[in-house]
Amino acid sequence: QNIFERITCTVIVLVAGLCWAYILGEVGAIVTDMNAEKQSFRKMMNGLNKMMQEQGLPHELRRRLRSFFLSNKHQAQFARDQKLLRGMSPQLQAEVSITLNWQWLVKVPFFREFIKMMDIKEMSGINTDPYRACIADVAHHMDASAYAQQEMFGESQVLYILSKGIATLNSRVALVGSVWGEDFVLADRDLIRRTSAFALTYLEVLCLSRDKFFEVVGRREATCPQLKTIVRRYCVRMAAHRGILAQALKLKRQRTPQRLGKSGSQESKLESLDVKSTSSVPTPESERRVMPPVPGTLPEELSPLRVEQRSPRQD
């Protein structure tokens, strides 16, 4: 063997080693990216266990915390999906948002009316991209919240969409896709129906506040004025309906004490009449009370004066 062959073999071995190291590195990077979420979740759980041990939390509370975080590991998926949506084009954002949120959009009255109007315009050949972009903008402003089992929640002027779990809404069972708080667009809090939600299981909820919604409506007023008109019409109709019901309930509460007072006065009058009628009716002879004689006295028939006044018998 000469020197040339030795150099050639050495170069081949070095290149093969570098290629093998590169392949192993790429495979490791792919596996790491595939398990990135699992690794971050494991780190979070390790930190949670360390914190609970250091603070000396009760075992029941530790169990609830572990159960919550184990169920909450899918919460990061919503943030990742929102980030992916922001990287899409406006038209793709609108199409994906409508597809993902169609289940609850049709349950909100003014959104359902807006979608019908959008379909009619699309059938007429009118461009509906600004309307779809408006829906996508509303979907971007929704926040995700998680609640542990046996928790109560519910704020006024907030639209809630149940995306995972089972809850009760004022003694009514709500499943995945349920929507409540549709009257969140009303400005008067007294006209909004109070709905308290109780988590029967772990819950994941999407929330849309009134301020964020009207921020989108105001920003999209130039390109999509129909949404503002539909929402305004819904607010007027809902406010009138709730106002009439509230006024009727108020009048009913005011009349109830008056009716109770009138009924009480009538009952007292009837009782007085009964007393008068019973006192004016003469008592029969048989029911008169016979007074017992005083000790040491004779009855009236055997008194001496009574005997003298009697006429003598005729033989």
Side-chain angles (χ1 to χ4, degrees):
Q1 296 179 355
N2 52 23
I3 190 66
F4 178 75
E5 292 178 353
R6 292 178 181 178
I7 295 174
T8 304
C9 292
T10 304
V11 171
I12 291 174
V13 171
L14 290 175
V15 171
L18 292 175
C19 291
W20 179 246
Y22 177 78
I23 293 172
L24 290 179
E26 288 295 322
V27 171
I30 293 172
V31 174
T32 303
D33 292 339
M34 291 176 59
N35 298 325
E37 295 181 359
K38 292 183 178 180
Q39 291 179 0
S40 61
F41 178 73
R42 289 172 182 171
K43 290 180 180 179
M44 182 180 64
M45 292 300 296
N46 291 333
L48 176 65
N49 292 329
K50 185 177 180 180
M51 183 270 294
M52 291 189 299
Q53 185 177 2
E54 291 176 353
Q55 299 298 328
L57 298 180
H59 292 284
E60 179 63 22
L61 184 57
R62 293 186 185 186
R63 185 189 63 80
R64 292 182 60 192
L65 286 172
R66 291 192 186 97
S67 176
F68 176 80
F69 279 97
L70 286 172
S71 302
N72 196 32
K73 63 181 180 180
H74 300 289
Q75 186 74 8
Q77 184 178 358
F78 178 78
R80 186 176 66 252
D81 294 343
Q82 293 292 96
K83 186 177 180 180
L84 290 174
L85 280 173
R86 293 188 183 95
M88 300 178 185
S89 64
Q91 186 174 356
L92 289 176
Q93 287 183 15
E95 293 179 2
V96 174
S97 297
I98 292 176
T99 303
L100 294 178
N101 301 294
W102 179 264
Q103 186 178 5
W104 67 265
L105 281 173
V106 295
K107 295 182 180 180
V108 181
F110 52 86
F111 277 131
R112 182 169 59 248
E113 185 177 354
F114 180 73
I115 291 174
K116 288 182 180 179
M117 182 270 299
M118 186 175 61
D119 293 338
I120 292 173
K121 288 185 176 294
E122 187 174 6
M123 292 175 62
S124 302
I126 301 175
N127 185 21
T128 59
D129 290 341
Y131 307 144
R132 297 179 182 274
C134 184
I135 294 178
D137 199 0
V138 171
H140 290 164
H141 284 77
M142 300 186 69
D143 300 324
S145 301
Y147 298 94
Q149 189 178 8
Q150 298 181 356
E151 281 191 18
M152 293 189 68
F153 63 96
E155 299 179 3
S156 60
Q157 294 183 334
V158 177
L159 178 67
Y160 291 96
I161 301 99
L162 184 60
S163 58
K164 184 179 180 180
I166 303 175
T168 57
L169 308 175
N170 295 340
S171 302
R172 179 172 56 89
V173 179
L175 303 177
V176 176
S178 300
V179 179
W180 66 94
E182 300 92 336
D183 52 359
F184 75 108
V185 292
L186 297 177
D188 191 355
R189 293 178 180 268
D190 295 334
L191 300 178
I192 297 177
R193 291 180 178 175
R194 307 294 180 182
T195 304
S196 59
F198 180 77
L200 297 177
T201 61
Y202 168 80
L203 296 183
E204 289 184 2
V205 181
L206 299 178
C207 309
L208 178 63
S209 64
R210 182 179 184 274
D211 296 335
K212 292 184 178 180
F213 175 69
F214 277 101
E215 180 184 351
V216 175
V217 173
R219 187 170 59 251
R220 296 283 180 174
E221 184 177 3
T223 57
C224 184
Q226 290 82 359
L227 180 60
K228 184 176 181 180
T229 303
I230 292 173
V231 173
R232 185 179 182 85
R233 191 185 306 124
Y234 174 80
C235 290
V236 172
R237 184 169 62 251
M238 183 62 67
H241 178 69
R242 297 284 175 83
I244 292 172
L245 292 179
Q247 188 66 21
L249 183 61
K250 183 179 179 180
L251 293 175
K252 183 179 179 181
R253 289 176 179 175
Q254 290 177 355
R255 292 178 180 178
T256 301
Q258 297 177 0
R259 291 180 179 178
L260 292 176
K262 290 181 180 179
S263 61
S265 60
Q266 290 178 359
E267 289 178 359
S268 61
K269 288 180 181 180
L270 291 174
E271 289 179 358
S272 62
L273 290 175
D274 291 340
V275 171
K276 290 180 181 179
S277 61
T278 53
S279 60
S280 60
V281 175
T283 57
E285 193 69 22
S286 61
E287 294 182 0
R288 290 182 181 177
R289 184 177 181 182
V290 178
M291 297 296 294
V294 181
T297 59
L298 294 174
E300 186 179 357
E301 292 81 0
L302 302 177
S303 63
L305 295 176
R306 188 75 174 176
V307 172
E308 290 178 359
Q309 291 177 0
R310 291 181 181 177
S311 56
R313 292 184 178 179
Q314 297 178 1
D315 298 329

